[in-house]
Amino acid sequence: MAQLDERLLDVNQHGVLRIPAEIWLALVFLARHWVLMLLVTVIARRSKEAYILFGSDFSWIVIAIEVPALLMAVLCVRRVPQAGGLVRRLWPLARHLGAATAAMHLIYVAWYLWNSSYWLPWPELFLASCALIDLVIITSLFRSPHLKRVFAEFPAPRTESQTSTPSAT
């Protein structure tokens, strides 16, 4: 008897597969420096010392590296029938945006570790561990049959008859 992947039954109100939680978690991980920056900004409202994290050791390059992941997140949020033409044209590239961020993380970590004179538990081994997670994200984005289906679907645009309300008689 054939096995049915139950994830294929998880559709949203627009009739397409729901974006799975692991994609949302991957996006949070891929945009981890943006999340850190947001947390520091919120915490800094109470304690001005929180801005110390943005000192000379903070790499603003990683903020730029993570912009494609943020664009992927916007595309995931805007995956609705009323989405514009730009979102519809960029949707097929969403997986590639996440993978590009992870690949750029890997390049940055390789450069950082290559230029490190000796390894310490923090940050070198932590960065190496993050690189492994980035590799898992890239692999899952392109090897998972379920994720391939999720990123192949986009809700059909609403027609005029679907957007008009029935008249009361």
Side-chain angles (χ1 to χ4, degrees):
M1 187 163 175
Q3 285 289 89
L4 175 67
D5 188 355
E6 292 180 13
R7 296 176 299 179
L8 297 177
L9 301 174
D10 189 19
V11 295
N12 63 15
Q13 68 270 24
H14 307 298
V16 294
L17 290 171
R18 188 179 316 278
I19 295 175
E22 54 264 21
I23 290 297
W24 295 113
L25 291 173
L27 285 170
V28 168
F29 183 78
L30 289 173
R32 56 190 174 266
H33 292 90
W34 283 87
V35 172
L36 173 68
M37 195 167 58
L38 178 67
L39 289 173
V40 168
T41 303
V42 169
I43 292 170
R45 298 180 95 200
R46 293 181 184 243
S47 171
K48 298 299 180 196
E49 291 83 28
Y51 283 119
I52 293 172
L53 287 173
F54 294 136
S56 62
D57 292 341
F58 188 79
S59 177
W60 294 95
I61 293 171
V62 293
I63 295 296
I65 285 173
E66 294 174 356
V67 169
L70 293 176
L71 179 57
M72 180 183 173
V74 169
L75 291 174
C76 288
V77 169
R78 294 294 306 148
R79 188 177 171 236
V80 293
Q82 59 270 26
L86 180 62
V87 173
R88 289 180 182 280
R89 282 192 298 276
L90 289 177
W91 178 250
L93 302 174
R95 287 189 307 161
H96 300 282
L97 292 170
T101 299
M104 287 187 284
H105 275 155
L106 292 171
I107 292 168
Y108 178 77
V109 167
W111 172 83
Y112 184 86
L113 295 177
W114 182 263
N115 290 315
S116 182
S117 57
Y118 55 90
W119 282 30
L120 296 171
W122 184 264
E124 285 85 358
L125 292 179
F126 174 74
L127 289 175
S129 301
C130 287
L132 291 175
I133 297 172
D134 284 324
L135 281 173
V136 169
I137 290 171
I138 292 171
T139 304
S140 66
L141 282 173
F142 291 101
R143 301 233 23 219
S144 167
H146 178 66
L147 292 182
K148 285 180 184 179
R149 285 189 181 210
V150 169
F151 287 106
E153 294 183 345
F154 201 90
R158 289 197 173 172
T159 61
E160 189 63 35
S161 62
Q162 291 174 331
T163 57
S164 63
T165 58
S167 59
T169 54

